Amino acid sequence: MAASPITADRLLLFGATGDLARRMLLPSLCALDADDLLPENLRIIGTARSELNDHEFRQMAREALETYLPDDRRGGMADFLNRLSYQALDATTLEGFDTLAAKVSENAEDNSDLAIFLSTAPSLFGPTIAGLQHAGLTGDNVRMCLEKPLGSDLATSCEINDAVATAFPEERIFRIDHYLGKETVQNLLALRFANILFEPIWNSNYIEHVQITVGETVGLEGRVAFYDDAGALRDMVQNHMLQLLALVAMEPPTSFDATAVRDEKVKVLRALREVQPNETVTGQYREGAIKGQAVPGYDDELGKDSNTETFVAIKGHVDNWRWKGVPFYLRTGKRLPQRVTEIVVQFRCVPHSIFAEMGATMQPNRLVIGIQPEENISLSLMAKVPGLDQEGIRLREVPLDIAMPDAFVGQHRRIAYERLLLDLIAGEQTLFVRRDEVEAQWHWVDSIRAVWDKEGKTPQTYTAGTWGPSSAIALTERDGVTWHE
Ligand code: BG6
């Protein structure tokens, strides 16, 4: 068994002036600090190309915290800012890495643990790893965390993983999928494996289909070049949606240990069946309105014509014993009517209705796991409508609802990165994605793209503020299934 990791006392943040650092990483770290959850001696060293001194970096961080972190989570901000320091670096050359290493080592005990967070363009991954090696920052006491995008297909993802593997073994590589930091996503494991109720019926004998929806109301959000190269399949399905699917479909792991959990997830990802041409729908939004606000079309936002999909719906299958014949319908898109992430598990009808002769109609049970914006778990059950039933019995679906914030009053709603950063600092890998998972994810996504290329598939248009092209509705309706809305 591997030795337990030591809590890091230094965190080196590449891309420290970037969007992710300002919106998520610095606010998450500050919020953790406010709750006394960071190691007392943790120092955070930021690096990026901009020529800033420590004071200017702290000033930038202060502005980011004031913009992105709610007032009530900013307690002790001054102390947090004191943990920060900064070293400018051009990561494309080796030159500045020695100075960076000197800054990182200031006042550090020999061999104390260092966590590095790489939130830069993937083109800088290779040069950064080379620079870190050159400056002696890849020793046994160093762990490396990578932010997406990790490649644009299996081949480019392998290149990145190979480059990182020259300096770090897999036990010291932490690949982020921020969906795994979301509370309700982790709760999926609790729901499945801390209750006796679901597991016996969590299979094709009792489950008719599963739906996973990740709807967004936002459009390009200024990420024009990145998004137009990526598209919805690579941006959302390859990572977040397949991780959700893996958590729903995996076999019970023996423990919450990183190897046990990831072993089970990768088996699911490898069992994904290659999709047929008629099992995917792609779309691109045109101008429309969301919550009464007019919004432009994708091509207008982009400033040119494009064949990039901003919506994708897929009918997937997990080819194993448990899930034989159970479709997994996935859909995600930009400029949909609602921001919603949810998993719907649709159970089968009871095999025989004792109420049929009394005129009652039955609906099968359905479990809806709401991940955002509301954290909700809702199980629909059939119940008798109160009355004397003189004209026959009436049954109706009633929800058994658990609103997580109500069930756990007084608990913070945390940013997904809070949990992930804390785990990185502690060296705990369960909620990070292992290389074989990423590769299985790309393998499936590449096979879908190959089908699209072969068929010359181009996205159908949909009006912003609707649930994608009408063929996305047809994708499920022809199986007699309606998307949950
Ligand atoms: C990112 C995608 O990984 O996830 C974005 O690149 C997307 O396009 C975002 O908007 C969604 O994350 P969340 O947490 O807002 O659902």
Side-chain angles (χ1 to χ4, degrees), residues 56-355:
E56 288 163 332
F57 180 59
R58 287 178 187 157
Q59 190 53 35
M60 185 225 81
R62 176 190 294 279
E63 281 160 24
L65 298 175
E66 285 169 355
T67 312
Y68 297 113
L69 194 60
D71 283 357
D72 61 347
R73 303 215 59 205
R74 275 190 236 145
M77 182 162 76
D79 287 342
F80 172 72
L81 292 173
N82 275 334
R83 293 178 184 267
L84 305 184
S85 60
Y86 184 82
Q87 179 62 50
L89 176 82
D90 173 1
T92 59
T93 78
L94 294 181
E95 275 163 33
F97 278 90
D98 287 330
T99 319
L100 178 69
K103 183 98 176 182
V104 168
S105 308
E106 265 169 27
N107 306 323
E109 286 173 25
D110 282 354
N111 260 356
S112 75
D113 272 25
L114 167 66
I116 301 180
F117 193 116
L118 219 54
S119 154
T120 53
S123 58
L124 289 179
F125 285 7
T128 304
I129 301 288
L132 292 170
Q133 266 175 321
H134 163 85
L137 287 179
T138 55
D140 289 352
N141 59 329
V142 185
R143 61 193 75 127
M144 168 58 83
C145 177
L146 303 168
E147 197 27 90
K148 75 179 265 257
L150 292 183
S152 52
D153 56 14
L154 180 58
T156 49
S157 136
C158 286
E159 276 170 29
I160 293 174
N161 282 320
D162 286 345
V164 180
T166 59
F168 298 94
E170 188 63 32
E171 313 80 75
R172 289 196 276 120
I173 301 175
F174 292 67
R175 292 180 198 80
I176 293 243
D177 184 315
H178 78 276
Y179 268 54
L180 296 182
K182 291 182 192 275
E183 193 63 56
T184 324
V185 173
Q186 293 157 36
N187 207 4
L188 193 54
L189 294 179
L191 189 75
R192 284 196 60 197
F193 304 126
N195 294 293
I196 193 79
L197 282 182
F198 294 113
E199 206 42 34
I201 55 169
W202 206 259
N203 56 51
S204 61
N205 294 334
Y206 298 96
I207 293 180
E208 202 251 341
H209 74 263
V210 175
Q211 299 181 18
I212 304 179
T213 294
V214 182
E216 296 188 277
T217 53
V218 293
L220 270 176
E221 295 186 294
R223 301 151 81 217
V224 177
F226 163 74
Y227 192 85
D228 199 51
D229 281 346
L233 182 68
R234 290 177 173 129
D235 186 42
M236 296 298 286
V237 177
Q238 185 273 336
N239 35 59
H240 312 319
M241 296 193 80
L242 287 186
Q243 283 293 320
L244 294 179
L245 185 152
L247 293 173
V248 171
M250 73 190 205
E251 296 299 315
T254 49
S255 72
F256 195 65
D257 163 81
T259 303
V261 171
R262 299 187 303 176
D263 279 353
E264 297 309 334
K265 279 195 295 169
V266 78
K267 285 184 207 161
V268 172
L269 296 166
R270 287 187 182 141
L272 286 166
R273 186 192 300 170
E274 294 202 356
V275 298
Q276 298 300 310
N278 64 352
E279 289 177 327
T280 61
V281 171
T282 58
Q284 191 189 83
Y285 60 85
R286 287 290 170 269
E287 65 180 290
I290 295 181
K291 300 201 174 92
Q293 291 282 324
V295 294
Y298 180 76
D299 45 358
D300 298 328
E301 272 187 71
L302 191 65
K304 59 173 185 177
D305 288 347
S306 158
N307 273 337
T308 298
E309 80 287 355
T310 61
F311 175 94
V312 60
I314 301 171
K315 178 179 172 183
H317 282 97
V318 178
D319 273 338
N320 64 16
W321 194 315
R322 184 187 282 258
W323 295 113
K324 174 82 187 157
V326 179
F328 283 74
Y329 300 102
L330 314 180
R331 68 174 168 169
T332 182
K334 301 275 186 200
R335 295 286 194 220
L336 300 187
Q338 264 172 280
R339 176 173 188 247
V340 59
T341 300
E342 69 176 18
I343 298 167
V344 177
V345 179
Q346 180 67 59
F347 293 96
R348 297 190 186 280
C349 278
V350 294
H352 169 73
S353 169
I354 62 165
F355 304 108

Side-chain angles (χ1 to χ4, degrees), residues 415-430:
I415 310 168
Y417 281 93
E418 288 182 54
R419 171 64 192 264
L420 298 177
L421 283 163
L422 211 52
D423 283 359
L424 168 68
I425 291 166
E428 169 50 65
Q429 281 188 308
T430 305

